[in-house]
Amino acid sequence: MTDHLRLGRHRFPADQTLMMAIVNRTPDSFYDQGATWAEDKAFDRVAAVVAEGAEIVDIGGIKAAPGVEIGEEEEKGRVVDFVARVRQAFPDLVISVDTWRAAVADAVCAAGADLINDAWGGADPELVDVAAAHDVAIVCTHTGGVTPRTRPFRIEYANVMASVIADTTAYAERALAAGVARESIVIDPAHDFGKNTFHSLEVTRRLPEMVATGWPVLVSLSNKDFVGESLDLPVGERLTGTLAATTLCAVAGARIYRVHEVTQTRHTVDMARVIVGEMSPRRAIRGLQ
Amino acid sequence: MRVVIVPPTPALLPGYASRLDPVADLRAAVTRALSWVGPCSIVADDPDPVDAARGVTTSIGHRLALAHGLSITDDPGADRVVFASGSAMRTPKAPGSFDERAETFDAEIGRALVEPDPLALGDIDLELGEHLWARGLAGLVGLAQIPVRTAYLDYDDAPYGVQYWVARWEV
């Protein structure tokens, strides 16, 4: 759709894939169980994923699953100063903040965020205005209209991918109309959000349809329940399944990968893209001397 | 008249490009040498018979010439590009593994290219060269009677156990 992707102050060629490393400023997220709740631990995590080659960090102050209600001020307290610290230490890093609240987004953008990752599908209608005002990027997700921090319960779609495409592109158009730059809008099918495992599998299988819309696609697959249920494996044993799903998304043309494991995902994405001929091998000489 | 000797190395072909060029220095020398000639004749081995049986019809040398946009002619007075490489047995990890005769074999050809000593190219041991997986030797032998005025050896190395030369002769 555009010849490049712009995430706040950072520009990337449209065909470059990007690793977005998850950094939780939460005591209770499903995968790390508070491992980076302490600010210094979170900062160490940022340094580690940068060293692994992550282009983006996605900082979140509230876990996605239901739990203790975290108010706006508390969410700001968890993320705003941390964003400022990361901005100062890593000027070349794209800083994303995982929030659905416009007021939080406004504060983190003032502190140096480049991207608002709205995992809850535009629940706060003013979020796009904040993104436009700060000239940052936005991720437009599909949640099937569920309330933030709720689990899907008996949710049905006549055609889940049609719903995903209709909702995410409508959100993208709304962001565009609000003044967000076209090259700064990303869409995300949001695996597991408002979806059972069968829905998430169908979305994975049909991802080429989403890529065909022309909007750059972000996928967030890492260690999620649809992987766990597909293999009947608990959190902690889902990396192989995550990487298998990642392969299909890479072949389909997903551009941004929201991940816990940066190196393994980067290797998986690059290998898939090399196989399908989307890019060249890194260094091939065998038989060609 | 100008004569250029470059290796028929598949890694130089655009279709085999990597993101990190494993033959960057060689490529730079080859590109420079091939841009030094005008309309030229090409001397390159025919495709290996086994490859030919699989349907390969164009030699690597000709494919490299096309990739570089050379203007190919049959005019005997035109410049000449010879595609040749030395042994492929310089180290245990070389494509043909190690042969202790390889280094001497290559060194003698390298000396003849740079001195220059065209007559010595006429004495290349073709049987040994074939054993050492050298390529394009007939093209080098065919340079024996060329009256060279000035010779430049821009590249002389065996980075993957395969000997490459990039030489330019002013005739």
Side-chain angles (χ1 to χ4, degrees), chain B residues 3-25:
Chain B
V3 174
V4 161
I5 296 105
V6 295
T9 305
L12 296 170
L13 290 167
Y16 291 136
S18 292
R19 284 176 285 147
L20 299 179
D21 190 353
V23 288
D25 293 346

mmCIF file of all heavy atoms in Angstrom, chain B residues 3-25:
data_model
loop_
_atom_site.group_PDB
_atom_site.id
_atom_site.type_symbol
_atom_site.label_atom_id
_atom_site.label_comp_id
_atom_site.label_asym_id
_atom_site.label_seq_id
_atom_site.Cartn_x
_atom_site.Cartn_y
_atom_site.Cartn_z
ATOM 1 N N VAL B 3 42.843 -8.720 -22.945
ATOM 2 C CA VAL B 3 42.435 -10.072 -22.542
ATOM 3 C C VAL B 3 42.171 -10.057 -21.048
ATOM 4 O O VAL B 3 42.950 -9.468 -20.285
ATOM 5 C CB VAL B 3 43.543 -11.104 -22.859
ATOM 6 C CG1 VAL B 3 43.154 -12.477 -22.307
ATOM 7 C CG2 VAL B 3 43.796 -11.179 -24.356
ATOM 8 N N VAL B 4 41.092 -10.685 -20.661
ATOM 9 C CA VAL B 4 40.729 -10.765 -19.239
ATOM 10 C C VAL B 4 40.537 -12.224 -18.870
ATOM 11 O O VAL B 4 39.926 -12.993 -19.633
ATOM 12 C CB VAL B 4 39.447 -9.949 -18.970
ATOM 13 C CG1 VAL B 4 38.798 -10.382 -17.669
ATOM 14 C CG2 VAL B 4 39.752 -8.465 -18.929
ATOM 15 N N ILE B 5 41.087 -12.612 -17.727
ATOM 16 C CA ILE B 5 40.876 -13.975 -17.213
ATOM 17 C C ILE B 5 40.125 -13.860 -15.888
ATOM 18 O O ILE B 5 40.586 -13.178 -14.962
ATOM 19 C CB ILE B 5 42.217 -14.703 -16.978
ATOM 20 C CG1 ILE B 5 42.953 -14.879 -18.315
ATOM 21 C CG2 ILE B 5 41.993 -16.069 -16.327
ATOM 22 C CD1 ILE B 5 44.102 -13.952 -18.508
ATOM 23 N N VAL B 6 38.963 -14.466 -15.822
ATOM 24 C CA VAL B 6 38.156 -14.449 -14.591
ATOM 25 C C VAL B 6 37.619 -15.868 -14.339
ATOM 26 O O VAL B 6 37.483 -16.666 -15.282
ATOM 27 C CB VAL B 6 36.975 -13.459 -14.680
ATOM 28 C CG1 VAL B 6 37.464 -12.024 -14.786
ATOM 29 C CG2 VAL B 6 36.063 -13.796 -15.848
ATOM 30 N N PRO B 7 37.291 -16.209 -13.089
ATOM 31 C CA PRO B 7 36.830 -17.574 -12.809
ATOM 32 C C PRO B 7 35.337 -17.765 -13.111
ATOM 33 O O PRO B 7 34.538 -16.851 -12.895
ATOM 34 C CB PRO B 7 37.091 -17.724 -11.310
ATOM 35 C CG PRO B 7 36.983 -16.334 -10.783
ATOM 36 C CD PRO B 7 37.463 -15.419 -11.873
ATOM 37 N N PRO B 8 34.969 -18.955 -13.588
ATOM 38 C CA PRO B 8 33.545 -19.254 -13.820
ATOM 39 C C PRO B 8 32.898 -19.705 -12.501
ATOM 40 O O PRO B 8 32.475 -20.857 -12.354
ATOM 41 C CB PRO B 8 33.592 -20.379 -14.855
ATOM 42 C CG PRO B 8 34.871 -21.110 -14.542
ATOM 43 C CD PRO B 8 35.841 -20.075 -14.026
ATOM 44 N N THR B 9 32.815 -18.776 -11.574
ATOM 45 C CA THR B 9 32.334 -19.088 -10.230
ATOM 46 C C THR B 9 30.827 -18.848 -10.147
ATOM 47 O O THR B 9 30.378 -17.707 -10.299
ATOM 48 C CB THR B 9 33.063 -18.178 -9.203
ATOM 49 O OG1 THR B 9 34.469 -18.357 -9.380
ATOM 50 C CG2 THR B 9 32.656 -18.511 -7.796
ATOM 51 N N PRO B 10 30.030 -19.895 -9.898
ATOM 52 C CA PRO B 10 28.572 -19.694 -9.878
ATOM 53 C C PRO B 10 28.117 -18.669 -8.851
ATOM 54 O O PRO B 10 27.115 -17.989 -9.059
ATOM 55 C CB PRO B 10 28.036 -21.084 -9.528
ATOM 56 C CG PRO B 10 29.100 -22.037 -9.949
ATOM 57 C CD PRO B 10 30.400 -21.309 -9.749
ATOM 58 N N ALA B 11 28.870 -18.528 -7.741
ATOM 59 C CA ALA B 11 28.462 -17.559 -6.716
ATOM 60 C C ALA B 11 28.410 -16.137 -7.262
ATOM 61 O O ALA B 11 27.789 -15.262 -6.649
ATOM 62 C CB ALA B 11 29.413 -17.620 -5.519
ATOM 63 N N LEU B 12 29.032 -15.907 -8.409
ATOM 64 C CA LEU B 12 28.999 -14.566 -9.011
ATOM 65 C C LEU B 12 27.702 -14.307 -9.784
ATOM 66 O O LEU B 12 27.416 -13.170 -10.140
ATOM 67 C CB LEU B 12 30.188 -14.387 -9.957
ATOM 68 C CG LEU B 12 31.579 -14.423 -9.309
ATOM 69 C CD1 LEU B 12 32.665 -14.490 -10.392
ATOM 70 C CD2 LEU B 12 31.794 -13.196 -8.422
ATOM 71 N N LEU B 13 26.925 -15.362 -10.049
ATOM 72 C CA LEU B 13 25.698 -15.194 -10.830
ATOM 73 C C LEU B 13 24.614 -14.526 -9.987
ATOM 74 O O LEU B 13 24.463 -14.837 -8.803
ATOM 75 C CB LEU B 13 25.188 -16.554 -11.318
ATOM 76 C CG LEU B 13 26.034 -17.244 -12.396
ATOM 77 C CD1 LEU B 13 25.607 -18.705 -12.546
ATOM 78 C CD2 LEU B 13 25.893 -16.504 -13.722
ATOM 79 N N PRO B 14 23.847 -13.627 -10.585
ATOM 80 C CA PRO B 14 22.805 -12.923 -9.827
ATOM 81 C C PRO B 14 21.804 -13.879 -9.153
ATOM 82 O O PRO B 14 21.327 -13.609 -8.056
ATOM 83 C CB PRO B 14 22.105 -12.060 -10.887
ATOM 84 C CG PRO B 14 23.120 -11.894 -11.963
ATOM 85 C CD PRO B 14 23.947 -13.142 -11.966
ATOM 86 N N GLY B 15 21.521 -14.992 -9.806
ATOM 87 C CA GLY B 15 20.557 -15.939 -9.249
ATOM 88 C C GLY B 15 21.033 -16.640 -7.991
ATOM 89 O O GLY B 15 20.240 -17.266 -7.291
ATOM 90 N N TYR B 16 22.310 -16.527 -7.713
ATOM 91 C CA TYR B 16 22.867 -17.149 -6.504
ATOM 92 C C TYR B 16 23.343 -16.104 -5.500
ATOM 93 O O TYR B 16 24.250 -16.353 -4.710
ATOM 94 C CB TYR B 16 24.022 -18.072 -6.878
ATOM 95 C CG TYR B 16 23.623 -19.329 -7.625
ATOM 96 C CD1 TYR B 16 24.344 -19.766 -8.732
ATOM 97 C CD2 TYR B 16 22.534 -20.098 -7.218
ATOM 98 C CE1 TYR B 16 23.989 -20.923 -9.421
ATOM 99 C CE2 TYR B 16 22.178 -21.248 -7.903
ATOM 100 C CZ TYR B 16 22.906 -21.658 -8.997
ATOM 101 O OH TYR B 16 22.561 -22.811 -9.663
ATOM 102 N N ALA B 17 22.733 -14.934 -5.529
ATOM 103 C CA ALA B 17 23.165 -13.861 -4.628
ATOM 104 C C ALA B 17 22.729 -14.140 -3.195
ATOM 105 O O ALA B 17 21.635 -14.634 -2.948
ATOM 106 C CB ALA B 17 22.584 -12.531 -5.099
ATOM 107 N N SER B 18 23.597 -13.806 -2.267
ATOM 108 C CA SER B 18 23.274 -13.865 -0.840
ATOM 109 C C SER B 18 23.106 -12.443 -0.316
ATOM 110 O O SER B 18 23.472 -11.478 -0.977
ATOM 111 C CB SER B 18 24.403 -14.531 -0.056
ATOM 112 O OG SER B 18 24.502 -15.892 -0.370
ATOM 113 N N ARG B 19 22.572 -12.360 0.917
ATOM 114 C CA ARG B 19 22.482 -11.042 1.543
ATOM 115 C C ARG B 19 23.865 -10.560 1.976
ATOM 116 O O ARG B 19 24.148 -9.377 1.927
ATOM 117 C CB ARG B 19 21.507 -11.085 2.725
ATOM 118 C CG ARG B 19 20.039 -11.100 2.260
ATOM 119 C CD ARG B 19 19.111 -11.251 3.436
ATOM 120 N NE ARG B 19 19.118 -12.623 3.932
ATOM 121 C CZ ARG B 19 18.970 -12.971 5.189
ATOM 122 N NH1 ARG B 19 18.798 -12.056 6.109
ATOM 123 N NH2 ARG B 19 18.973 -14.236 5.538
ATOM 124 N N LEU B 20 24.700 -11.478 2.425
ATOM 125 C CA LEU B 20 26.104 -11.149 2.713
ATOM 126 C C LEU B 20 26.938 -11.840 1.635
ATOM 127 O O LEU B 20 26.969 -13.066 1.572
ATOM 128 C CB LEU B 20 26.512 -11.657 4.097
ATOM 129 C CG LEU B 20 25.755 -11.088 5.278
ATOM 130 C CD1 LEU B 20 26.253 -11.717 6.583
ATOM 131 C CD2 LEU B 20 25.916 -9.578 5.343
ATOM 132 N N ASP B 21 27.583 -11.071 0.799
ATOM 133 C CA ASP B 21 28.272 -11.634 -0.364
ATOM 134 C C ASP B 21 29.489 -12.452 0.074
ATOM 135 O O ASP B 21 30.432 -11.900 0.650
ATOM 136 C CB ASP B 21 28.702 -10.499 -1.284
ATOM 137 C CG ASP B 21 29.203 -11.002 -2.621
ATOM 138 O OD1 ASP B 21 29.342 -12.230 -2.771
ATOM 139 O OD2 ASP B 21 29.442 -10.164 -3.507
ATOM 140 N N PRO B 22 29.498 -13.773 -0.188
ATOM 141 C CA PRO B 22 30.651 -14.576 0.227
ATOM 142 C C PRO B 22 31.874 -14.384 -0.667
ATOM 143 O O PRO B 22 32.948 -14.862 -0.328
ATOM 144 C CB PRO B 22 30.124 -16.022 0.129
ATOM 145 C CG PRO B 22 29.019 -15.964 -0.863
ATOM 146 C CD PRO B 22 28.437 -14.574 -0.808
ATOM 147 N N VAL B 23 31.682 -13.715 -1.786
ATOM 148 C CA VAL B 23 32.817 -13.475 -2.703
ATOM 149 C C VAL B 23 32.892 -11.985 -3.075
ATOM 150 O O VAL B 23 33.108 -11.640 -4.236
ATOM 151 C CB VAL B 23 32.708 -14.358 -3.971
ATOM 152 C CG1 VAL B 23 32.990 -15.818 -3.638
ATOM 153 C CG2 VAL B 23 31.332 -14.227 -4.634
ATOM 154 N N ALA B 24 32.734 -11.140 -2.077
ATOM 155 C CA ALA B 24 32.647 -9.697 -2.360
ATOM 156 C C ALA B 24 33.905 -9.168 -3.046
ATOM 157 O O ALA B 24 33.817 -8.422 -4.032
ATOM 158 C CB ALA B 24 32.386 -8.939 -1.064
ATOM 159 N N ASP B 25 35.078 -9.547 -2.527
ATOM 160 C CA ASP B 25 36.329 -9.033 -3.118
ATOM 161 C C ASP B 25 36.519 -9.559 -4.540
ATOM 162 O O ASP B 25 36.920 -8.826 -5.446
ATOM 163 C CB ASP B 25 37.530 -9.454 -2.258
ATOM 164 C CG ASP B 25 37.507 -8.781 -0.897
ATOM 165 O OD1 ASP B 25 36.731 -7.819 -0.724
ATOM 166 O OD2 ASP B 25 38.252 -9.233 -0.016
#
